[in-house]
Amino acid sequence: MGALPTLAVVGATGAVGTVMCELLSSRKNMWGEIRLVASKRSAGRTLVVRGDEVVVQELAADVFDGVDVAMFDVPDEVSAEWAPIAVSRGAIAVDNSGAFRMDPDVPLVVPEINPEQSRNRPKGIIANANCTTLTMIVALAPLHREYGLKELVLASYQAVSGAGKDGVDTLLDQLERVSGDRSLGSRSGNVRQAVGDDLGPFPAPLALNVVPWAGSLRDGGWSSEELKMRNESRKILGLPDLKVSATCVRVPVVTGHSVAVHAVFGVEVDAEGAREVLRHAPGVILVDDPAAGEFPMPIDAVGTDPAWVGRIRRSIDDPRALDLFVTGDNLRKGAALNTAQIAELLSKELQAS
């Protein structure tokens, strides 16, 4: 084995970057030097990684000199500009934004599903899927291998942390405003009046409410988040003609995206057979005992790595269909963990070469 590669974490001080630093400290060490990189505003801060204090460097071209792998946890426009620069300096870029996911020359990798695609990187960039898709796809892939997936109808229940720290602060502030008034929610308009105009990144109040919208408007009334679930599921599973219909909903949960899944397969399915498949699936934990009140829920999945899966039923009206519920920590497997796992594949490849 060769020397341990050098890693750069771009966006180290953000919500996902913070989780990334925790993962680098808790997972098996695959790295030599680790460089933490962020915007000028955050440069100079000190973060602890692997027990060592590391000073955050300002994002600039020369921070990538000598770097083998660069993980990007930054907005799309920042990744679009800087990931190619990192590649030009000799690094392989692993990008958690949406900038490159649907580029045909950039693999969209989930290590439990298609790890071999990490070597297929003509642009030197590997993309990480969006957090809602990742929540469910780890559970759907083994069922697809067993039964042959044909169609998905999805409803997401997306936590406010998907909108960053501003989303979390907005929800907690709104909850403070509505707490103690038991009349709220009993007539139209009183929740809006109590919350006021501070909606943060959301189009409507989240406290005591759900909002059937996440993302930005696209053609036909679809949201960008809904189209991501469709397009990314097709690419990860290698099913370009898979029928997918999604409705994305923002809910008053801090961390943990959930998805209600109606999956139609090519053959008849059996609920217990599906449970057996999922019991042995990597990255999945089965929590499915309604009689005992055991369901996959974000308050339990938060801070953990697997996709939690339960409520598995064969459809009443279609023997080829399963209905199930999946939840997972959108900041871990949904973002930081999957990025770290891809980078670890690269570390092994580089050490073996």
Side-chain angles (χ1 to χ4, degrees):
M1 299 287 282
L4 293 176
T6 296
L7 175 72
V9 181
V10 184
T13 59
V16 175
T18 301
V19 176
M20 182 67 69
C21 291
E22 294 173 3
L23 290 171
L24 290 171
S25 300
S26 61
R27 292 176 67 81
K28 179 182 177 181
N29 184 38
M30 305 284 290
W31 306 103
E33 180 188 356
I34 294 179
R35 300 180 193 175
L36 304 182
V37 184
S39 66
K40 184 177 182 179
R41 183 179 67 252
S42 298
R45 288 178 55 185
T46 299
L47 302 177
V48 176
V49 182
R50 301 183 300 187
D52 298 326
E53 292 188 348
V54 181
V55 176
V56 177
Q57 302 180 49
E58 182 180 350
L59 179 59
D62 59 3
V63 302
F64 299 109
D65 291 344
V67 169
D68 298 293
V69 178
M71 299 191 299
F72 285 80
D73 294 302
V74 293
D76 292 10
E77 62 275 12
V78 179
S79 284
E81 177 182 357
W82 285 96
I85 293 173
V87 173
S88 73
R89 294 281 180 146
I92 303 168
V94 183
D95 182 42
N96 188 42
S97 82
F100 301 100
R101 288 174 186 153
M102 299 316 298
D103 187 322
D105 291 325
V106 174
L108 187 60
V109 173
V110 181
E112 294 89 344
I113 300 171
N114 59 349
E116 72 286 348
Q117 289 297 315
S118 65
R119 293 176 176 267
N120 176 29
R121 46 178 193 269
K123 290 188 174 180
I125 300 171
I126 300 172
N128 190 38
N130 91 87
C131 48
T132 318
T133 302
L134 277 167
T135 295
M136 66 163 191
I137 205 72
V138 176
L140 283 178
L143 295 174
H144 165 59
R145 286 193 289 267
E146 186 73 16
Y147 302 120
L149 188 61
K150 299 296 182 184
E151 183 175 350
L152 289 172
V153 180
L154 311 168
S156 74
Y157 304 80
Q158 295 179 219
V160 295
S161 56
K165 185 178 183 296
D166 188 23
V168 175
D169 289 342
T170 296
L171 174 62
L172 296 180
D173 289 345
Q174 290 180 1
L175 290 174
E176 286 186 357
R177 294 192 190 104
V178 303
S179 64
D181 187 344
R182 298 197 174 193
S183 70
L184 293 177
S186 62
R187 62 179 177 84
S188 178
N190 65 357
V191 172
R192 288 185 182 272
Q193 185 175 10
V195 167
D197 296 329
D198 184 13
L199 301 179
F202 310 116
L206 257 296
L208 307 180
N209 195 30
V210 298
V211 179
W213 188 258
S216 53
L217 184 63
R218 295 292 187 264
D219 291 346
W222 295 97
S223 80
S224 57
E225 288 285 308
E226 291 159 350
L227 295 181
K228 286 176 187 177
M229 294 189 76
R230 177 178 186 265
N231 296 333
E232 294 175 23
S233 296
R234 288 174 155 196
K235 186 172 181 178
I236 293 166
L237 296 175
L239 297 173
D241 298 321
L242 180 67
K243 295 179 180 179
V244 183
S245 179
T247 299
C248 289
V249 182
R250 192 74 71 178
V251 296
V253 170
V254 173
T255 301
H257 287 353
S258 305
V259 184
V261 179
H262 178 79
V264 182
F265 299 92
V267 298
E268 288 195 14
V269 294
D270 172 77
E272 187 51 45
R275 291 187 192 95
E276 189 62 22
V277 169
L278 292 169
R279 280 189 189 99
H280 303 287
V284 172
I285 183 170
L286 184 66
V287 185
D288 194 13
D289 190 353
E294 295 182 358
F295 320 103
M297 294 180 287
I299 58 169
D300 301 315
V302 62
T304 71
D305 292 339
W308 293 47
V309 188
R311 294 300 325 278
I312 299 169
R313 297 144 284 156
R314 188 167 85 163
S315 174
I316 295 173
D317 299 313
D318 187 347
R320 300 171 302 123
L322 288 171
D323 291 277
L324 53 114
F325 193 80
V326 190
T327 192
D329 187 321
N330 52 294
L331 299 180
R332 290 181 75 88
K333 182 57 180 175
L337 175 61
N338 201 73
T339 307
Q341 288 174 308
I342 295 170
E344 288 167 1
L345 291 175
L346 297 174
S347 177
K348 292 177 183 177
E349 176 188 336
L350 291 168
Q351 291 180 67
S353 62

